[in-house]
Amino acid sequence: MPRPTGRVLTLLELLQSGGTRTVAELAGRLGVEGRTVRRYVDQLIDLDVPVESVRGRYGGYRLAPGYRLPPLMLSDDEALAVLLGLIAGRRAGLTTTQRTANETASAKIRRVLPKHLARRLDTLLESLDFTDRPGEFDTPDAGVLLTLADAVRHRRPVSIRYTDRDGRPSERTLHAYGIVAHAGRWYVTGKDAQIGEDRTFRLDRVADARTLPGSFEAPVGPAPAQRVLSGFATAEYRHEVTLRIHGTVEQIRAHLPVSVASLEEHEPAAGEDRATERWLRVELRAERLDWLPPVLAALDQPFVIERPDELRDLVTALADRLTSCARRA
């Protein structure tokens, strides 16, 4: 027969699963009488666990938000899910500047894992590999992340201190539409109120965020993730590239995703059949061009380089190297 302390912890686990639990339901699950359930609830309250009573026909007990995190009961599957989430987040670089929080949270859960589950977890981690290598990412401040999330939810303007990639500091007023995780980094996208245009900011470059009075209306249009990807494709870089590629959207997007390039239909010349002459105009910006010729070669579709001339030279040089290699005995 379980000891009273064990039943109290079981009661906490039942309440943490959510919703309101009737006294009759809890008594049945714990194998005790109703007055004993009430006594166990009093013990949880004495431990500062925020249990509140709900009156009425369908009343009972439920957990209320407390001033601190109460003891947390996790099933084996839940503990494994949390640990794998922490491991994946650390590998992807999606952590805050309090990196030790990820490690200490993992350590706390692992310390209390049953031995059989700990062994299974170790076996999984030994057999698990990732297609990408862990990188060194600059991570955002937890306070900045939470302040911006609150501003997004309540549509409040927020003042941020931002340092751009050239090291220039500035203070912006942002109407934040959403927070996006992409390629191991956190971004916030929204309207820069000073210039009245949409902008995307890396959160690790935001030194401070402060909510301002007022509110704004959320725009109709692409979701925050789509805005971030489109912003990457149109960002200011050294080279502006325009191509015409004969192929489908799917064929081109397999090599030039939304975050890299924008696509639009190219009107066929007079006398050309739109069905057979399916050309798409591709525009992108890049700091360097040397990665683009191999991409065009892998695309294996007819293309025309409209600009810049430097890209033509690089494609010709790659073609010459491939031809030379192919002719070697």
Side-chain angles (χ1 to χ4, degrees), residues 2-45 47 49 51-52 60-63 71-73:
R3 300 176 62 183
T5 301
R7 292 199 188 99
V8 172
L9 293 175
T10 301
L11 171 61
L12 176 59
E13 184 176 7
L14 291 171
L15 293 175
Q16 284 179 335
S17 63
T20 301
R21 303 284 183 149
T22 66
V23 174
E25 178 188 0
L26 294 171
R29 296 289 297 271
L30 296 172
V32 298
E33 296 180 354
R35 64 175 179 271
T36 305
V37 171
R38 296 183 182 93
R39 190 171 71 248
Y40 291 164
V41 168
D42 289 339
Q43 292 182 36
L44 289 176
I45 293 174
L47 294 170
V49 177
V51 183
E52 63 181 14
Y61 294 103
R62 67 187 178 193
L63 282 185
L72 190 63
M73 306 292 291

Side-chain angles (χ1 to χ4, degrees), residues 323-329:
T323 300
S324 176
C325 291
R327 288 175 175 171
R328 291 176 184 170

Side-chain angles (χ1 to χ4, degrees), residues 199-222:
R199 288 288 185 269
T200 294
F201 301 99
R202 268 176 47 177
L203 286 193
D204 58 282
R205 291 177 177 164
V206 178
D208 181 63
R210 178 170 46 88
T211 306
L212 300 174
S215 63
F216 65 91
E217 291 295 325
V220 177

